[in-house]
Amino acid sequence: MSKLRSVKGMNDVLPEDAARWHRLESTFRELVGRYGFGEVRTPLVEPTDLFVRSIGEATDIVEKEMYTFEDKGEKSLTLRPEGTASAARAWIQHSVGGKHPVSKWFYLGPMYRRERPAKGRYRQFWQAGCEIYGDPGPYVDAELIDFVVRYLRALGIQDIEVLVNSLGAGGTRDRYRDALLEYLRPHASELSEDSQRRLERNPLRVLDSKAPQDQAIAENAPDILDHLDEESREHFETLKSALDDLGTPYRVEPRLVRGLDYYTRTLFEVRGRGGDLGANAALCGGGRYDNMIAELGGPATPAIGFAIGLDRLLLVMAETEPKPTLDGFLVVQAKELRGKALAIAQTLRDAGARVDADLRGGSMKSQFRRADKSSAPFALILGEREAAEGTVQVKELATGEQRELPIDQVAAAIIRD
Ligand code: HAM
């Protein structure tokens, strides 16, 4: 019989790895709290149309990477490939704009893209993201970019590069599209198959193609910053000076277009430069999408956000000192005392201690072996006499030091901050 395994590119997190995940998540929750973001939780599955209309038909995600299925032959559904479209759908559906002129949302959860699995690239991966609705920027844009840098620093990730660009608004896209097409058309036959197919419909996608032949051609493409409308140029200039005021390091990268169609004006990406991932891996991507809410049927509302790839952070983050998950491990001298031990463990847990016991009834030696293997710094030994007197022996496993304590003093003695 073939062995059952998880789906390719979809990974388990076992308890010993969970501490590092918790650190990513709790640091994020702590930081978003300081900025007043509220959490949104949307379904993992949405109508396929939502992603086609927002991310764009001629993108890698929509053309090749979505997990799409028919729900009993009635409706096309898709596992969310990202969080922005779902959050926007929820924001529109619950008429949030009518209640709050500006809303700040965050989310944390798994996303699904059928990409070719590799280190740092999975088919189920976790994103932590923020979205702000109702503020046209550019100061809030700078604040968000700075937020990402602060979050990464809080995790000890220093070796990063922040790239910023502007895609402009209004006529910029059309003007730039024309200029780009004019440049790309003579090279059409040298482009990858994907890019040839997308050339007329969505020439911007050629710029972020991963195919080497496309990248070589993209290098000399016209510069979008030369095509910005006046308002977008001012927006971008102010963004840069706000980043300077914050002391946030960044580099302007006019070739940055990112692989989703919904962006307007501010665009940014944070790349890691070291660690297991290798150079230039995108740790975070984000940008402004001032037209998307209206295009999805909501009231015209400016918006901006980002998403950080948590799986990738794990690969560049410094090792986390493993923290003990237990305070004490109960060792029981006689089998008959197991019921009593169970009650003591419960009393200690009620008092806030993290306590486990080996209730299988093995020898003291085997129970001590389990105590040693557990992360508990203390063994709590219960013999006949201790049981009669309402005490336990508290033994510090690292030093062998031992003292007898009444049950009601044990929790305070073993709980650490
Ligand atoms: P994205 O650039 O597609 O943007 O993804 C953001 C981050 O998710 C990437 O920088 C990367 O760290 C991580 N990521 C993407 N795909 C994978 C994968 N297959 N395996 C592991 N990690 C991955 C978005 O998703 C936009 N929704 C960001 C945004 C929010 N823009 C505005 N608001």
Side-chain angles (χ1 to χ4, degrees), residues 73-143:
E74 280 176 15
K75 209 171 179 241
S76 178
L77 302 181
T78 293
L79 281 180
R80 64 181 186 191
E82 57 112 50
T84 311
S86 308
R89 195 263 313 132
W91 187 91
I92 296 167
Q93 183 173 332
H94 300 282
S95 308
V96 179
K99 294 168 234 160
H100 306 283
V102 175
S103 28
K104 300 169 77 169
W105 285 7
F106 82 92
Y107 50 85
L108 248 170
M111 308 293 162
Y112 302 85
R113 295 184 196 173
R114 202 171 186 292
E115 293 195 72
R116 196 167 44 78
K119 190 158 220 164
R121 188 167 66 224
Y122 309 110
R123 291 180 170 179
Q124 175 184 272
F125 58 96
W126 285 70
Q127 283 188 344
C130 287
E131 311 290 346
I132 298 180
Y133 308 96
D135 187 330
Y139 292 98
V140 78
D141 308 26
E143 191 182 37

Side-chain angles (χ1 to χ4, degrees), residues 91 101 132-137 264 288-291 293 299-304:
W91 187 91
I132 298 180
Y133 308 96
D135 187 330
T264 50
R288 183 160 279 291
Y289 47 99
D290 291 343
N291 301 333
I293 304 273
T301 306
I304 181 166

Side-chain angles (χ1 to χ4, degrees), residues 279-330:
N280 284 328
L283 303 178
C284 168
R288 183 160 279 291
Y289 47 99
D290 291 343
N291 301 333
M292 191 224 270
I293 304 273
E295 281 165 8
L296 292 178
T301 306
I304 181 166
F306 67 78
I308 301 170
L310 296 185
D311 303 77
R312 293 189 184 174
L313 295 196
L314 277 189
L315 296 173
V316 293
M317 192 168 109
E319 276 306 317
T320 310
E321 197 58 33
K323 276 202 193 134
T325 50
L326 284 176
D327 297 315
F329 197 96
L330 262 161

Side-chain angles (χ1 to χ4, degrees), residues 21-335:
W21 280 94
H22 290 164
R23 184 165 168 226
L24 291 179
E25 293 165 11
S26 60
T27 307
F28 187 74
R29 284 181 187 280
E30 153 73 20
L31 202 58
V32 287
R34 287 194 222 161
Y35 287 70
F37 285 92
E39 182 173 6
V40 61
R41 297 190 190 197
T42 59
L44 298 193
V45 175
E46 297 276 356
T48 302
D49 220 25
L50 171 65
F51 302 117
V52 177
R53 281 169 57 186
S54 54
I55 297 170
E57 239 164 317
T59 58
D60 275 352
I61 296 180
V62 169
E63 274 187 357
K64 305 182 196 167
E65 297 170 358
M66 295 205 302
Y67 284 96
T68 296
F69 58 97
E70 294 282 309
D71 183 10
K72 297 273 184 211
E74 280 176 15
K75 209 171 179 241
S76 178
L77 302 181
T78 293
L79 281 180
R80 64 181 186 191
E82 57 112 50
T84 311
S86 308
R89 195 263 313 132
W91 187 91
I92 296 167
Q93 183 173 332
H94 300 282
S95 308
V96 179
K99 294 168 234 160
H100 306 283
V102 175
S103 28
K104 300 169 77 169
W105 285 7
F106 82 92
Y107 50 85
L108 248 170
M111 308 293 162
Y112 302 85
R113 295 184 196 173
R114 202 171 186 292
E115 293 195 72
R116 196 167 44 78
K119 190 158 220 164
R121 188 167 66 224
Y122 309 110
R123 291 180 170 179
Q124 175 184 272
F125 58 96
W126 285 70
Q127 283 188 344
C130 287
E131 311 290 346
I132 298 180
Y133 308 96
D135 187 330
Y139 292 98
V140 78
D141 308 26
E143 191 182 37
L144 269 191
I145 295 171
D146 183 64
F147 173 99
V148 175
V149 174
R150 280 172 199 275
Y151 171 61
L152 296 178
R153 281 189 188 144
L155 295 168
I157 302 170
Q158 307 273 0
D159 203 6
I160 54 171
E161 188 171 34
V162 180
L163 308 179
V164 296
N165 193 20
S166 176
L167 289 185
T172 302
R173 278 292 267 272
D174 294 339
R175 270 200 310 281
Y176 182 62
R177 207 188 118 93
D178 292 346
L180 193 56
L181 266 174
E182 199 171 311
Y183 166 77
L184 289 173
R185 272 190 193 123
H187 296 283
S189 60
E190 303 154 51
L191 293 171
S192 71
E193 229 175 86
D194 275 347
S195 290
Q196 289 193 22
R197 193 164 33 77
R198 290 174 185 162
L199 183 60
E200 295 296 326
R201 243 193 326 162
N202 200 348
L204 226 62
R205 291 283 72 85
V206 178
L207 296 188
D208 68 338
S209 158
K210 286 160 203 143
Q213 67 266 45
D214 295 346
Q215 286 178 351
I217 293 167
E219 236 167 70
N220 298 313
D223 203 328
I224 194 162
L225 294 174
D226 295 336
H227 292 78
L228 288 188
D229 54 286
E230 188 49 32
E231 249 182 79
S232 294
R233 209 184 49 75
E234 240 170 67
H235 195 275
F236 193 49
E237 290 306 316
T238 313
L239 164 71
K240 288 190 289 178
S241 70
L243 286 173
D244 291 337
D245 287 344
L246 283 164
T248 316
Y250 64 89
R251 179 165 70 76
V252 174
E253 175 50 74
R255 295 282 175 275
L256 183 71
V257 289
R258 301 192 21 75
L260 304 103
D261 274 356
Y262 50 61
Y263 291 119
T264 50
R265 289 200 173 139
T266 308
L267 205 58
F268 61 99
E269 203 157 273
V270 180
R271 296 190 182 159
R273 289 195 290 205
D276 270 5
L277 258 185
N280 284 328
L283 303 178
C284 168
R288 183 160 279 291
Y289 47 99
D290 291 343
N291 301 333
M292 191 224 270
I293 304 273
E295 281 165 8
L296 292 178
T301 306
I304 181 166
F306 67 78
I308 301 170
L310 296 185
D311 303 77
R312 293 189 184 174
L313 295 196
L314 277 189
L315 296 173
V316 293
M317 192 168 109
E319 276 306 317
T320 310
E321 197 58 33
K323 276 202 193 134
T325 50
L326 284 176
D327 297 315
F329 197 96
L330 262 161
V331 170
V332 191
Q333 226 160 21
K335 279 186 181 179

